[in-house]
Amino acid sequence: MTKIRTAAVIGSGVMGSGIAAHLANVGIPVLLLDMVPTGLLPQEESAGLTLEHPKVRNRLAVNAMDKLKKTNPAPLYSEAFIDRIMPGNLEDDLAKLGNVDWIIEVIVENLQAKQQLISRIEKVWKPGTIVSSNTSGISIHAMIEQASDVFKKHFLGTHFFNPPRYMKLLEVIPSEHTDPAIVSLMTEFCEKKLGKGVVQAKDTPNFIANRIGTYGLLVTLREMLANGYSVEEVDAVTGPAMGRPKSATFRTLDLVGLDTFVHVANNVFGLVDDPGEKEVFDTPAILKTMVEKGWIGEKMGQGFYKKVKSDAGKEIQALDLNSMAYAASRKISSASLEAAKQAKGTSGKLKALLGAKDRYSELAWNILKPVLLYSAAKLDEIADSIVEMDNALKWGFNWDLGPFETWDAIGLKRSVERMEAEGSEVPEWVKAWIAAGNDSFYKNKDGQSFYYLKNEYRGIEARPEMISLAALKQQNKVIRSNSGANLIDIGDGVACLEFQSPNNAIGGDILTMIQQSVDEVRSNYRGLVVANEGKNFCVGANLMLLLMEAQDGEWDEVDGIIRLFQNSMMKLKSLDKPVVAAPHKMTLGGGVEACMPADQIIFSSETYYGLVEVGVGLIPAGGGCKELALRASSLVRDPEVDLQPWINASFETVAMAKVSTSGHDTKRLGYMRPQDTVVINPDHRIYEAKQAVLRMDAAGYTPPAVKKIRVVGETGKAVMQVGAYSMKQGGYISDHDVLIANKLAHVLAGGKVPAGTLVTEQYLLDLEREAFLSLCGELKTQQRMQYMLSKGKPLRN
């Protein structure tokens, strides 16, 4: 792991610059090289530059870095990390490759071009340096045919998926010459340092994910053309109803780019010999036509879908493949789709969809069947195990279940019987496996997980850094439980509080479990981790409950809810055992307030964290305002130093509902404390949180002393209110926004007291609660709450 400290990326296109950005994200200085331009741009000529000027010679890499700062979603965890990338070119800076630990080739997908570049790299290569290609399907062996034996040992494929920051999958592809120690090092490095899900693929056309995924997309397109389904119908079936992303089939193709997809398909077509397989990968005429027309997806404004602006707003139109004309996209519904929507879990959705026996059920089966059979037929050829294949499709194509997990979900034996009854050829190894009395490829027994490997069940190795709450619950490790949360024993005397309500929204059940967990941990455990494995950590408090009580005028009930929230957070904060929160993805409003009492927060790299209550016409009232005031007071201990700049920053962050774009970005917004950290691999965050608890316990943990809070008082409040007034005069915010901002300023300033007054935490909590209650009574706030619940986005009234 200490071997790779610096890197170089050759090729500054979208993929190359994205890989460079992610290396910079994790603290690795990286050299970004590209070709020297052969001509001057008009602006370079007007500036008097020549082809020999460094600005011209490094232009491609420099421009790519500029785009990194503007790209959305952001390739960088923090814009400041761009300083870890050094631009250069392949003529002036080639020799610098001898000073790095890892060289990544990310140039055009052309074998001859890659061979020529690798020959140039080897001339300046320092023995021991790892060299890899980011190819999506070109043979690793073919690239290095002319290289020396020692160079071949250090060469392999490292196939990132786009965008590199966000896509979990990284395929490691060794050649027959690659040193196994290099493969092990890269697997560990890419998982731990880069946060990737690594699968080892064989050096076959398009490796694993693109081989199976492309096959599935082509099968889907052919089924659509053969049986007259529309673009909208296919996407309605091949999205969440089948455990696939909302982008389904054709929105995914538009995002990838039809030109890119055709290139990937052609790669397999040109390299396989089996006539049946070759036929599937022969690009359908409709795709060729669309590429010729330039209808290649989002990057050109149209593909299978396009957005059209009109007086009524934006309209999504879908392509009719018969007329080649666009028309307003239709919403598709049927009994099978509704049944899938109502079913729980991906297995339940698939069974409901396939069991309905209607037109869409038939489409789903006719798409799924060939993919399962093809995956089984390609096992051993493209991967060593079903686990590698399943993970590749889950991490690379965002499927909920890989092909073999899907087969188990729909019933292995029953589905094979149907396949054979329909005349399909099932691989012999699958039939032999069933004949031996097995009815699944995976199984769990006595808390141990097993998978099919070479005609027997092989145990899945338990890895300490991969703590699975789902697996622990199956092993009866639940200490306490209610409808909203669980307290789980995660070993070594540490418990984990897991939210499990819809969207992990905080209601009375979670708050009750927090209080019970504090009592349990105080008596029987060394410390507490607050984490879960939901899609998001927590999207806030139970807004529906609050709105219902407010509309009914049940103010004592609303007051009770807020008091329970505040008391639960204070009880968590006062626990005399270490508490570590490990949030991930969306962590908003009350989710942030549930983390703030922790002694340490371990953010996942992809944590979108912020107090966003103003979006629904409220202010934080679960301790969020109080904690921000406390942090400012703690940071500025000298009573002679003005607190106002720190409070102003917090006011702006909350009033504008700013949300971090990453775990690292929480520092920019003032949410990260010195003791808080970021873990890159989200699968490791619960383990890292547990280790933090154990370290604090071993060091003789004592809870932080209760401190009074120095506040900016009425004069500081006035400063914030002037800011809000200026925003209103500029037309940026509404009258109701001003009202909310004034309430927020009142709380953050400490109310009607002189500047420098010392107040208690409870005093600020009371201010929070009073402001929150008064805003709940405002009609415009209730309208904002209703709009958020129905539309999923804020209303600015």
Side-chain angles (χ1 to χ4, degrees):
M1 290 294 292
T2 59
K3 185 177 179 64
I4 301 174
R5 297 175 296 273
T6 58
V9 173
I10 303 175
S12 64
V14 171
M15 201 67 198
S17 61
I19 292 171
H22 194 56
L23 292 171
N25 281 337
V26 301
I28 297 175
V30 55
L31 180 66
L32 181 62
L33 304 183
D34 212 315
M35 297 182 295
V36 174
T38 56
L40 292 172
L41 297 176
Q43 57 266 38
E44 291 170 338
E45 287 185 347
S46 63
L49 302 181
T50 69
L51 288 174
E52 298 306 311
H53 196 285
K55 286 186 178 180
V56 176
R57 296 176 72 79
N58 295 340
R59 181 211 304 154
L60 295 179
V62 170
N63 287 352
M65 290 171 61
D66 288 340
K67 287 179 182 177
L68 286 176
K69 293 184 282 188
K70 301 171 186 175
T71 301
N72 188 25
L76 292 160
Y77 290 152
S78 168
E79 192 173 305
F81 293 171
I82 196 77
D83 292 340
R84 296 170 180 168
I85 304 175
M86 178 182 294
N89 67 75
L90 279 168
E91 292 182 14
D92 303 327
D93 303 300
L94 189 67
K96 293 179 182 178
L97 298 180
N99 300 322
V100 302
D101 303 316
W102 181 18
I103 301 168
I104 314 168
E105 171 274 307
V106 200
I107 64 169
V108 62
E109 284 288 87
N110 176 279
L111 176 58
Q112 185 177 7
K114 291 181 184 293
Q115 288 173 329
Q116 291 173 351
L117 177 59
I118 288 167
S119 177
R120 294 182 67 190
I121 291 171
E122 188 172 8
K123 290 176 182 176
V124 297
W125 175 72
K126 177 182 66 180
T129 298
I130 297 167
V131 185
S132 69
S133 171
N134 184 61
T135 178
S136 60
I138 294 177
S139 169
I140 303 301
H141 175 80
M143 287 185 208
I144 52 171
E145 282 182 326
Q146 304 305 315
S148 66
D149 290 343
V150 67
F151 185 89
K152 289 177 179 177
K153 288 183 179 181
H154 292 81
F155 189 85
L156 72 165
T158 50
H159 180 208
F160 289 79
F161 274 61
N162 194 31
R165 167 183 165 181
Y166 299 96
M167 291 300 292
K168 184 173 182 177
L169 179 62
L170 190 149
E171 292 175 316
V172 167
I173 313 103
S175 77
E176 61 185 271
H177 305 288
T178 310
D179 184 342
I182 297 292
V183 178
S184 297
L185 170 70
M186 291 304 294
T187 298
E188 182 181 10
F189 175 83
C190 292
E191 180 185 296
K192 290 186 176 180
K193 188 72 174 178
L194 301 186
K196 295 300 174 187
V198 179
V199 300
Q200 187 171 321
K202 295 188 178 182
D203 190 8
T204 56
N206 288 14
F207 314 128
I208 301 175
N210 277 342
R211 183 75 169 269
I212 303 298
T214 302
Y215 180 92
L217 288 166
L218 287 167
V219 162
T220 301
L221 183 57
R222 293 180 187 283
E223 179 65 20
M224 169 192 182
L225 295 171
N227 291 294
Y229 292 98
S230 70
V231 166
E232 302 99 313
E233 285 178 315
V234 171
D235 274 358
V237 171
T238 58
M242 290 182 67
R244 310 281 175 83
K246 289 181 180 179
S247 56
T249 297
F250 295 113
R251 290 187 192 278
T252 296
L253 283 172
D254 279 355
L255 287 167
V256 169
L258 273 64
D259 53 340
T260 301
F261 177 77
V262 168
H263 171 80
V264 172
N266 286 342
N267 191 55
V268 180
F269 177 80
L271 294 173
V272 297
D273 298 319
D274 178 75
E277 187 174 10
K278 211 171 184 68
E279 181 182 359
V280 173
F281 282 96
D282 187 7
T283 306
I286 186 66
L287 283 183
K288 294 177 182 177
T289 298
M290 292 177 70
V291 171
E292 289 170 2
K293 287 177 174 286
W295 298 0
I296 57 175
E298 284 208 352
K299 57 189 173 185
M300 294 301 290
Q302 66 186 101
F304 286 100
Y305 295 94
K306 73 173 179 178
K307 293 179 182 178
V308 178
K309 292 182 179 179
S310 67
D311 293 338
K314 291 181 181 178
E315 179 183 74
I316 304 295
Q317 296 186 345
L319 182 65
D320 183 325
L321 297 189
N322 293 315
S323 66
M324 294 300 287
Y326 290 92
S329 180
R330 298 181 297 120
K331 185 174 177 62
I332 306 300
S333 62
S334 74
S336 60
L337 291 171
E338 187 59 32
K341 186 176 180 180
Q342 297 301 321
K344 290 187 176 181
T346 302
S347 178
K349 292 181 185 298
L350 282 167
K351 288 176 181 176
L353 179 61
L354 296 174
K357 306 301 182 186
D358 65 7
R359 172 177 168 80
Y360 299 125
S361 177
E362 182 180 356
L363 173 61
W365 173 252
N366 289 341
I367 290 170
L368 194 58
K369 177 176 70 172
V371 172
L372 299 183
L373 292 173
Y374 185 70
S375 299
K378 292 301 162 187
L379 182 65
D380 294 333
E381 178 185 332
I382 67 174
D384 284 327
S385 78
I386 64 170
V387 175
E388 303 283 350
M389 294 180 75
D390 281 343
N391 285 340
L393 272 300
K394 287 189 293 184
W395 298 340
F397 279 75
N398 292 320
W399 293 6
D400 288 349
L401 301 174
F404 296 97
E405 292 171 324
T406 297
W407 220 332
D408 282 357
I410 66 174
L412 174 60
K413 185 176 180 181
R414 182 171 61 254
S415 61
V416 166
E417 289 172 350
R418 179 177 176 182
M419 291 171 182
E420 292 190 305
E422 293 172 354
S424 299
E425 184 179 341
V426 178
E428 289 298 325
W429 74 264
V430 175
K431 293 191 287 186
W433 181 246
I434 295 172
N438 301 297
D439 58 5
S440 66
F441 293 115
Y442 294 89
K443 72 173 184 178
N444 291 297
K445 184 178 180 181
D446 300 327
Q448 172 72 38
S449 297
F450 298 85
Y451 69 102
Y452 165 89
L453 183 68
K454 307 295 184 186
N455 300 316
E456 65 178 15
Y457 278 117
R458 179 72 58 87
I460 296 177
E461 180 185 359
R463 299 176 57 189
E465 68 270 25
M466 300 282 198
I467 293 177
S468 167
L469 300 181
L472 290 169
K473 286 187 284 188
Q474 289 180 349
Q475 297 167 26
N476 299 316
K477 298 295 185 179
V478 176
I479 305 163
R480 291 175 175 267
S481 180
N482 66 22
S483 59
N486 298 306
L487 184 66
I488 302 167
D489 187 338
I490 58 174
D492 298 314
V494 180
C496 179
L497 174 63
E498 174 200 42
F499 301 166
Q500 62 172 7
S501 64
N503 294 316
N504 287 337
I506 297 176
D509 45 8
I510 288 180
L511 297 173
T512 298
M513 183 56 65
I514 289 174
Q515 300 216 17
Q516 292 177 352
S517 297
V518 169
D519 293 336
E520 182 73 39
V521 170
R522 177 175 287 122
S523 299
N524 300 309
Y525 289 85
R526 297 170 67 182
L528 178 68
V529 168
V530 182
N532 62 68
E533 295 171 332
K535 180 180 178 181
N536 297 300
F537 176 79
C538 176
V539 298
N542 187 330
L543 193 60
M544 175 65 80
L545 176 61
L546 282 170
L547 178 60
M548 289 172 58
E549 300 290 7
Q551 288 178 331
D552 291 342
E554 298 289 349
W555 303 117
D556 287 343
E557 292 295 327
V558 177
D559 183 71
I561 292 169
I562 303 308
R563 285 181 186 273
L564 177 60
F565 201 129
Q566 292 181 343
N567 291 341
S568 299
M569 296 305 109
M570 288 299 288
K571 187 168 183 177
L572 186 62
K573 185 173 183 176
S574 65
L575 176 61
D576 57 358
K577 303 287 181 70
V579 177
V580 178
H584 67 285
K585 292 295 181 75
M586 300 285 277
T587 305
L588 305 175
V592 171
E593 291 174 310
C595 295
M596 283 179 151
D599 297 290
Q600 184 178 0
I601 300 174
I602 296 184
F603 297 99
S604 171
S605 55
E606 299 301 337
T607 305
Y608 317 124
Y609 191 89
L611 294 166
V612 296
E613 286 84 352
V614 296
V616 289
L618 299 167
I619 68 162
C625 296
K626 178 262 296 181
E627 284 294 318
L628 291 174
L630 174 60
R631 290 181 187 185
S633 178
S634 299
L635 282 169
V636 188
R637 296 180 182 180
D638 185 345
E640 300 302 317
V641 177
D642 188 9
L643 276 175
Q644 196 69 49
W646 281 265
I647 292 297
N648 286 350
S650 294
F651 174 73
E652 180 180 317
T653 296
V654 178
M656 298 183 69
K658 293 182 180 181
V659 176
S660 72
T661 58
S662 69
H664 292 84
D665 193 47
T666 57
K667 185 175 183 179
R668 176 182 64 88
L669 297 182
Y671 287 124
M672 180 183 283
R673 303 165 299 181
Q675 69 267 36
D676 298 334
T677 59
V678 179
V679 62
I680 302 299
N681 192 319
D683 295 336
H684 298 175
R685 62 193 168 80
I686 298 177
Y687 168 80
E688 293 295 344
K690 174 183 170 181
Q691 296 308 115
V693 167
L694 294 174
R695 284 193 295 271
M696 282 188 269
D697 177 67
Y701 175 80
T702 55
V706 177
K707 299 177 183 176
K708 285 200 170 184
I709 303 166
R710 182 162 66 98
V711 295
V712 295
E714 287 194 283
T715 55
K717 172 183 170 180
V719 171
M720 290 182 270
Q721 289 177 325
V722 167
Y725 176 77
S726 299
M727 292 283 284
K728 172 63 173 62
Q729 292 301 107
Y732 297 107
I733 61 176
S734 68
D735 287 335
H736 193 54
D737 291 322
V738 174
L739 174 66
I740 299 164
N742 287 339
K743 298 279 187 182
L744 176 63
H746 180 74
V747 177
L748 287 173
K752 296 180 179 181
V753 296
T757 300
L758 297 177
V759 301
T760 65
E761 291 188 54
Q762 187 58 54
Y763 170 81
L764 288 179
L765 288 174
D766 291 341
L767 291 183
E768 281 187 0
R769 192 176 66 258
E770 291 164 6
F772 188 93
L773 281 165
S774 68
L775 287 169
C776 280
E778 295 285 340
L779 177 61
K780 288 187 176 181
T781 285
Q782 294 178 16
Q783 290 172 343
R784 289 190 180 193
M785 295 165 77
Q786 183 69 58
Y787 194 84
M788 178 62 74
L789 287 167
S790 60
K791 304 290 186 180
K793 56 185 179 181
L795 170 68
R796 303 314 297 258
N797 55 352

